[in-house]
Amino acid sequence: DREVVLASVQEDRRALEHASEELRADREVVLAAVQQSGWLLHHASQELRADREFMLAAVQQDGDALEFASKELRADREFMLAAVQQNSCALVYASEQLQADREFMMAAVQQRGLALRYASEELRADREVVLAAVKQNGYALQYASMELRADREIVLAAVQQSGVALEYASQELRSEREIVLAAMEQNGEALRYGSADELKADREVVL
């Protein structure tokens, strides 16, 4: 009985597993189950897992639902960008081709800077992509290549967006007065990440 199963999946995670094939293809029933856990999409019909509109609704309920999206959807640029808007972690399930696609990743990090975490190694060393990411979220600096974490313009942009992103800058830049002052202007707690003792004793910096 549909109404019984619909009520059950909202209380019992196992209910969908034991539902009929017809009910595992029912949008309302499966979405109700996903509210409990995105993992339950494992029991959904293949048709639902390939349905763009349904999967976006599921991802909105639980980002991990994307793990069970069809291979085609996980390689679909438009779908994955929409998923990233809802959950920056969505890119962990994106195809390797998308994670290495410069145009796609640029659009993704402009929406959610932390999406840089899932970019290919090459793109995490791409100056323009990284700059776009840290301007959206300074914490994205932690996912940049070591070379770019020593890039003055990128680090300055990161700490201006989030002062404590100074933690992820190169040691040399963490001891640079102008960088530290910019970070502290955004967040006074950033001083703890300055690396030079003489900098912490600097009256203007400390005040």
Side-chain angles (χ1 to χ4, degrees):
D1 181 272
R2 183 180 186 277
E3 297 307 316
V4 171
V5 174
L6 185 56
S8 296
V9 296
Q10 294 172 337
E11 303 292 335
D12 184 355
R13 293 187 176 195
R14 296 169 297 177
L16 187 64
E17 180 180 356
H18 302 296
S20 67
E21 187 174 336
E22 180 183 356
L23 290 177
R24 285 188 279 115
D26 185 300
R27 301 167 72 91
E28 186 180 359
V29 169
V30 178
L31 268 185
V34 171
Q35 285 183 321
Q36 295 291 319
S37 170
W39 183 85
L40 292 175
L41 267 181
H42 176 69
H43 301 299
S45 69
Q46 293 295 324
E47 290 77 14
L48 281 184
R49 289 159 63 174
D51 184 300
R52 176 190 300 265
E53 183 182 344
F54 171 81
M55 284 305 303
L56 280 178
V59 170
Q60 193 167 21
Q61 300 281 3
D62 186 335
D64 288 331
L66 199 57
E67 179 179 0
F68 302 102
S70 68
K71 185 178 180 180
E72 291 73 23
L73 281 182
R74 287 187 282 113
D76 184 295
R77 296 164 66 99
E78 184 180 341
F79 171 79
M80 289 303 300
L81 275 180
V84 169
Q85 279 186 314
Q86 296 176 14
N87 190 323
S88 63
C89 293
L91 283 184
V92 71
Y93 301 116
S95 67
E96 288 186 11
Q97 289 88 345
L98 281 185
Q99 291 177 343
D101 184 308
R102 190 178 190 277
E103 183 181 351
F104 171 80
M105 285 306 306
M106 179 66 86
V109 300
Q110 286 172 339
Q111 290 179 6
R112 295 289 185 99
L114 293 180
L116 184 65
R117 175 180 181 179
Y118 305 105
S120 66
E121 185 176 354
E122 181 181 354
L123 290 180
R124 285 186 279 115
D126 184 302
R127 197 170 187 280
E128 287 184 34
V129 172
V130 172
L131 188 57
V134 300
K135 283 183 176 180
Q136 201 286 322
N137 189 321
Y139 279 105
L141 184 63
Q142 65 188 295
Y143 303 119
S145 67
M146 294 305 294
E147 180 182 354
L148 292 182
R149 287 162 68 172
D151 183 295
R152 195 174 187 282
E153 182 184 357
I154 284 176
V155 170
L156 189 58
V159 300
Q160 286 173 336
Q161 201 286 322
S162 178
V164 290
L166 182 64
E167 176 182 4
Y168 305 110
S170 67
Q171 185 169 351
E172 181 182 354
L173 290 181
R174 283 190 284 116
S175 63
E176 186 174 317
R177 193 169 186 274
E178 185 181 350
I179 297 288
V180 175
L181 283 173
M184 290 183 61
E185 186 175 344
Q186 201 285 321
N187 187 329
E189 294 295 315
L191 179 59
R192 72 174 68 178
Y193 301 115
S195 66
D197 289 339
E198 59 267 25
L199 196 62
K200 294 178 182 179
D202 187 310
R203 189 170 185 275
E204 184 180 347
V205 170
V206 174
L207 290 179

